[in-house]
Amino acid sequence: QVQLVESGGGLVQAGGSLRLSCSASGFISAINLMGWYRQAPGKQRELVATISSGGGINYADTVKGRFTISRDNAKNTVYLQMNSLKPEDTAVYYCRWRRILPPLNEYWGQGTQVTVSS
């Protein structure tokens, strides 16, 4: 079992910045994929960015150049630095942890609200 605790959401004006953090604890495999997803009201949950324990990174096209994902493997923590925020970035942001090798167990955080005002 893996527990994920997110922090860092809030209300910010368009053009502003926020930094999200997600710390994992429990029975953690060293080889894993951590990432951020978001869900806006009335929409499906979508990928924001992922980063593997080996450092491989993937971004959604909508956030490239504005968001930066990073991680501290020693702390089992992933970060999402969000700059130049837009009202369309408003959503609940969820942290996800997944094993890369079978069994492909995955876990989700409780979500943190990010609201960008225009």
Side-chain angles (χ1 to χ4, degrees), residues 93-108:
Y93 283 69
Y94 295 91
C95 177
R96 178 191 184 217
W97 182 98
R98 183 175 71 83
R99 284 173 56 97
I100 293 178
L101 300 175
L104 303 179
N105 299 22
E106 69 171 20
Y107 300 89
W108 291 87

Side-chain angles (χ1 to χ4, degrees), residues 7-84:
S7 62
L11 173 64
V12 65
Q13 289 188 329
S17 299
L18 283 174
R19 189 190 194 211
L20 306 183
S21 299
C22 173
S23 294
S25 62
F27 188 70
I28 299 173
S29 167
I31 303 174
N32 60 71
L33 183 71
M34 296 188 76
W36 292 95
Y37 292 72
R38 67 186 182 187
Q39 188 167 18
K43 294 187 177 181
Q44 290 189 332
R45 191 172 298 188
E46 63 179 8
L47 167 74
V48 176
T50 61
I51 182 168
S52 71
S53 49
I57 291 175
N58 181 44
Y59 291 105
D61 288 342
T62 53
V63 306
K64 282 181 181 176
R66 301 187 298 122
F67 291 10
T68 302
I69 191 169
S70 61
R71 64 185 290 165
D72 184 334
N73 288 334
K75 296 181 179 180
N76 294 313
T77 299
V78 64
Y79 307 95
L80 185 68
Q81 178 66 43
M82 305 186 292
N83 298 329
S84 302

Side-chain angles (χ1 to χ4, degrees), residues 101-117:
L101 300 175
L104 303 179
N105 299 22
E106 69 171 20
Y107 300 89
W108 291 87
Q110 79 285 357
T112 184
Q113 177 70 46
V114 171
T115 302
V116 184
S117 62

